[in-house]
Amino acid sequence: MADVTSKLESVDGADAQGAEKSRQAKASAVEAGPPPDAIEPDKDLTPEEAEQARRKYLLKRFWISARGYWGRGGDGFAWPCSIGLLVMIGMNVGFQYGINLWNRGIFDAIERHDAGTVYFFGAVFPPLVLGSVALVTFQVYVRMMIQRRWRKWLATALIARWLANGRYYQLNLIGGDHKNPEARISEDLRIATEAPVDFIAGVISAFLSASTFIVVLWTIGGALTLPIAGASVTIPGFLVVTAVLYAIITSTTIAVIGRHFVRVSEVKNQVEAEFRYTLTHVRENGESIALLGGEEEERSDLDKTFSNVLKQWAQLAHQHMRTTFVSHGSMLIAPVVPVLLCAPKFLEGSMSLGEVMQAASAFAIVQSAFGWLVDNYPRLADWNACARRVASLMMSLDGLERAEQSDALGRIRHGETEGEAMLSLNDLAVSLDDGTAVVKETQVEIEPGERVLVSGESGSGKSTLVRAIAGLWPWGHGSVDFHADRRLFMLPQRPYIPAGTLRRAVAYPNAADGWPLEEIKAALDKVGLDYLKDKLEEEAPWDQTLSGGEKQRLAFARLLLHNPDIIVLDEATSALDEKSQDKMMEMVIEQLPKVTIVSVAHRAELEAFHSRKITLERREGGAKLVSDIDLVPRARKRNVLLRLLEDGRALPKGKTRLSKVEGPRGGS
């Protein structure tokens, strides 16, 4: 049987278009390949060495997934676009060489006072410029298209993995470096896919330019003879030697003074993400903060977080200042060096003015190619930080995915019930991801039409049990089985209100046009929200506008529209007063008389609307079911529904915790 997530999708009645999008997203996740094996750090490493090894592996982990864009399951346009970009880079170097020759020709003509040749070169220049500009413009388009499509492919695969099997929720339950996944998927992933394309294009362009114009410098400059201590020293290819030495000095200098750039950029990105999260948290909880008057406390927290941002920006600015000092100085000095070196040959007549200008142009291009690291070191550092943040999220998802495929930690199974049972928990135990027990072995069977109330003190594991039933909590053992082809719908304590129109909020998770407008209005009327019927097409921040009670009423309206077979209510009436709660429960029983209900709640008044009550009690080593009571007498006896064991000891003969009492049928 499909897992509960699939069951929820079928229950909610997703349309064909949504199903196709879901299929494509899952396909993207499959194309990304299985998670790589877990890498355990060497026990002999110091903490600093282990952290360094982890940081190196993060870049490897990023490329394991990212390179799939050019793989068999990647984008069909990846290779044609990449090859086309390389061809255009080569052609652009050809245009650079043409302009370099133009420099030599026109300055030689000026030196000779040859007006005809000057006019000729003046006429040749516009086509050269137009061709180069057109080529570079189209090159930018292709480069950005690769970046856009690569980001789309990788983000689609990562989001599919993040949303699959409730992992986006499970990340909150496990340890690891995956805070603020939304920032990692949006901003960090954007930089992580844009920068490599720029870097590779830049490196290839720099290599081709350096190779081409080193030959030009060697050919034009020749050898330089210098008198030193009464002897003559000849330096072959002196312009090339100077260009290489100049580049080595500047690149080494920038590498030394910017050696902390990567770490500073990584910390800066992390504190920026934390600041965004804090602001979002304040916005999402604005009502509670305002009611409690917590503005000063929140401002103090925001000031503290923002101070960390400014501190990291100050450190980053210091790094930028140091690298800018070198890069800007290099930019000013580079054009002058070849002119000074060529001046002796020009003055002695062995080099023409055109050759001097060609050498100066070629030297500047070679220096720019060699100085690529100087110009791009800050972006390279930023990419390192962003790629590692994305890879950290990937590694956390890897761990969850491996756990789903392995029984090492124990996994709760999901299957189909036998006979007419609507829902059964078979030897179900729920634990944390480290194996700590939350709920002990539980054996429960719920028949069609039963209304079961799960009670117990706070912290006894009731909500955890509900999450296990929904498939959101995977750790433990035993199984949760549903009747085949039955539809499940869950009402959490805090209903989710999506952005958009009120109509969309009522129809969620189906599309807003999933039901006729009159049917949606009728559902609102039944739950006491008739005063909102005229606002169904209005777009507003409904999550902030509606009160807690109104949100819970709206969730019951959703319930009526979806008309499921099984309902799980997790404190779904906690924001309603007793009278409103009674109306909601009576309405559900009246409108959906055959539905099976599993409720988690504290209020004793809800017993009147249920036919059965099971109680969880917190114990050392995990919560345990201690009673299973019939609130309404039934004609036939249930199968064994509760394991009568406690602390490994059987109950004394004649004793039982499984009791049956008659209770009110209220609401029937």
Side-chain angles (χ1 to χ4, degrees):
M1 184 180 113
D3 60 18
V4 176
T5 303
S6 301
K7 191 175 280 287
L8 282 169
E9 290 175 357
S10 63
V11 175
D12 297 335
D15 56 19
Q17 183 179 3
E20 176 62 17
K21 288 182 179 179
S22 177
R23 185 196 66 77
Q24 291 176 355
K26 291 179 180 178
S28 297
V30 172
E31 288 167 356
D37 295 334
I39 304 296
E40 296 294 335
D42 192 336
K43 296 180 179 179
D44 296 331
L45 295 177
T46 64
E48 293 78 11
E49 292 172 337
E51 176 62 18
Q52 188 66 25
R54 186 190 73 87
R55 290 163 61 87
K56 289 182 179 179
Y57 175 75
L58 285 175
L59 292 181
K60 178 181 178 181
R61 176 62 190 90
F62 173 78
W63 284 114
I64 288 174
S65 292
R67 69 192 180 196
Y69 174 70
W70 287 271
R72 182 174 301 177
D75 189 342
F77 285 93
W79 279 111
C81 290
S82 301
I83 294 173
L85 181 62
L86 295 179
V87 170
M88 284 185 285
I89 290 173
M91 292 175 63
N92 188 49
V93 173
F95 272 95
Q96 284 182 316
Y97 180 67
I99 294 174
N100 181 257
L101 291 177
W102 180 89
N103 271 289
R104 175 175 179 173
I106 194 169
F107 279 104
D108 279 343
I110 291 173
E111 184 182 22
R112 297 193 306 266
H113 302 283
D114 187 347
T117 304
V118 171
Y119 293 147
F120 170 76
F121 277 104
V124 169
F125 186 68
L128 279 174
V129 172
L130 289 175
S132 180
V133 169
L135 188 63
V136 170
T137 301
F138 195 63
Q139 179 181 324
V140 169
Y141 173 78
V142 174
R143 174 173 54 81
M144 296 188 72
M145 183 171 66
I146 294 174
Q147 293 170 327
R148 184 180 69 251
R149 296 180 71 93
W150 188 18
R151 180 188 180 188
K152 175 186 175 183
W153 182 87
L154 188 55
T156 300
L158 184 57
I159 290 172
R161 294 185 64 208
W162 182 51
L163 293 178
N165 302 327
R167 293 176 195 147
Y168 59 94
Y169 171 75
Q170 294 167 11
L171 286 176
N172 300 320
L173 309 176
I174 64 173
D177 182 16
H178 49 253
K179 293 180 180 178
N180 308 314
E182 62 281 359
R184 297 170 192 258
I185 295 174
S186 58
E187 183 65 14
D188 291 323
L189 184 60
R190 178 186 64 80
I191 296 174
T193 51
E194 284 182 0
V197 179
D198 290 338
F199 294 156
I200 292 173
V203 167
I204 293 174
S205 179
F207 174 77
L208 293 178
S209 297
S211 302
T212 301
F213 290 98
I214 280 177
V215 174
V216 173
L217 288 177
W218 189 280
T219 303
I220 295 176
L224 178 66
T225 301
L226 298 175
I228 299 178
S232 297
V233 177
T234 301
I235 304 174
F238 73 99
L239 290 177
V240 175
V241 173
T242 304
V244 172
L245 289 176
Y246 188 87
I248 290 175
I249 293 171
T250 55
S251 297
T252 302
T253 303
I254 200 71
V256 171
I257 67 174
R259 62 188 181 277
H260 300 302
F261 223 125
V262 174
R263 180 184 57 80
V264 173
S265 294
E266 191 168 352
V267 175
K268 185 267 297 182
N269 289 345
Q270 178 64 35
V271 296
E272 287 278 18
E274 291 175 358
F275 182 55
R276 286 195 300 270
Y277 174 78
T278 305
L279 291 170
T280 302
H281 184 72
V282 171
R283 177 179 59 80
E284 292 178 345
N285 297 275
E287 181 180 1
S288 298
I289 294 171
L291 292 174
L292 293 171
E295 291 84 358
E296 288 300 321
E297 180 64 23
E298 293 300 327
R299 185 167 65 179
S300 174
D301 189 35
L302 286 170
D303 288 344
K304 179 181 178 181
T305 308
F306 190 53
S307 295
N308 290 335
V309 172
L310 296 178
K311 179 181 178 182
Q312 293 304 318
W313 265 107
Q315 294 188 23
L316 190 64
H318 183 62
Q319 294 292 326
H320 273 290
M321 289 171 59
R322 299 171 69 182
T323 55
T324 300
F325 176 81
V326 177
S327 61
H328 189 69
S330 173
M331 181 186 69
L332 295 176
I333 297 173
V336 179
V337 172
V339 174
L340 295 177
L341 292 175
C342 293
K345 286 197 168 189
F346 174 74
L347 294 175
E348 71 181 19
S350 61
M351 183 178 287
S352 67
L353 179 61
E355 288 175 328
V356 173
M357 300 310 297
Q358 184 184 14
S361 173
F363 188 92
I365 294 174
V366 171
Q367 180 53 38
S368 176
F370 281 143
W372 182 88
L373 176 64
V374 175
D375 298 331
N376 290 275
Y377 196 84
R379 284 199 66 197
L380 182 62
D382 200 27
W383 173 79
N384 267 276
C386 292
R388 283 177 176 141
R389 281 176 52 79
V390 174
S392 296
L393 176 60
M394 290 177 173
M395 287 182 64
S396 294
L397 293 174
D398 292 343
L400 290 174
E401 194 169 344
R402 281 192 295 268
E404 293 167 6
Q405 301 168 2
S406 170
D407 293 329
L409 291 176
R411 302 287 298 182
I412 298 172
R413 302 183 306 276
H414 294 272
E416 295 181 358
T417 58
E418 298 180 359
E420 294 299 321
M422 187 65 73
L423 168 65
S424 65
L425 312 180
N426 302 305
D427 292 323
L428 178 65
V430 184
S431 62
L432 301 177
D433 62 321
D434 61 1
T436 303
V438 178
V439 178
K440 291 183 179 180
E441 288 81 357
T442 302
Q443 188 81 18
V444 173
E445 187 174 290
I446 299 175
E447 299 173 0
E450 276 198 293
R451 301 192 295 274
V452 181
L453 177 64
V454 181
S455 65
E457 62 181 345
S458 297
S460 60
K462 302 186 302 299
S463 295
T464 305
L465 185 62
V466 168
R467 293 169 187 143
I469 293 173
L472 296 178
W473 194 290
W475 303 291
H477 62 79
S479 66
V480 177
D481 299 333
F482 291 90
H483 194 292
D485 302 322
R486 292 300 186 265
R487 301 174 301 163
L488 171 70
F489 198 90
M490 301 198 64
L491 268 69
Q493 182 177 7
R494 297 179 59 187
Y496 172 65
I497 308 297
T501 64
L502 183 61
R503 181 175 182 176
R504 183 191 178 210
V506 180
Y508 190 85
N510 275 23
D513 56 358
W515 288 273
L517 194 59
E518 292 305 318
E519 192 171 345
I520 295 179
K521 288 182 178 180
L524 288 178
D525 189 53
K526 291 174 182 177
V527 298
L529 295 177
D530 52 297
Y531 53 90
L532 295 176
K533 291 190 293 186
D534 295 333
K535 300 181 180 180
L536 282 171
E537 300 298 344
E538 291 185 15
E539 289 198 15
W542 294 111
D543 186 51
Q544 304 296 324
T545 304
L546 299 176
S547 67
E550 287 174 324
K551 292 178 185 178
Q552 290 191 339
R553 287 174 180 270
L554 186 143
F556 277 96
R558 287 179 188 164
L559 180 62
L560 296 179
L561 292 175
H562 287 84
N563 190 22
D565 301 294
I566 310 173
I567 306 172
V568 179
L569 308 176
D570 185 7
E571 300 283 0
T573 60
S574 60
L576 300 175
D577 58 81
E578 185 177 340
K579 184 178 180 180
S580 299
Q581 173 183 268
D582 292 349
K583 287 183 178 179
M584 287 299 102
M585 296 304 297
E586 289 171 356
M587 181 271 301
V588 170
I589 294 171
E590 178 184 350
Q591 297 294 323
L592 306 173
K594 296 182 179 180
V595 73
T596 302
I597 300 176
V598 178
S599 296
V600 173
H602 290 90
R603 294 179 176 177
E605 297 84 4
L606 284 171
E607 292 185 10
F609 304 98
H610 294 80
S611 58
R612 181 176 163 198
K613 177 182 177 182
I614 59 179
T615 303
L616 277 173
E617 184 176 289
R618 185 167 53 187
R619 301 281 184 87
E620 185 177 352
K624 188 176 181 64
L625 256 68
V626 295
S627 68
D628 189 342
I629 303 172
D630 283 340
L631 301 174
V632 175
R634 297 189 299 165
R636 61 188 181 87
K637 187 176 181 180
R638 195 164 54 240
N639 294 329
V640 177
L641 305 179
L642 181 64
R643 187 181 298 272
L644 302 177
L645 293 174
E646 181 181 14
D647 299 331
R649 295 175 295 173
L651 292 172
K653 187 174 181 180
K655 300 290 186 180
T656 178
R657 291 189 191 82
L658 183 61
S659 57
K660 293 187 177 183
V661 300
E662 295 186 8
R665 186 185 289 271
S668 299

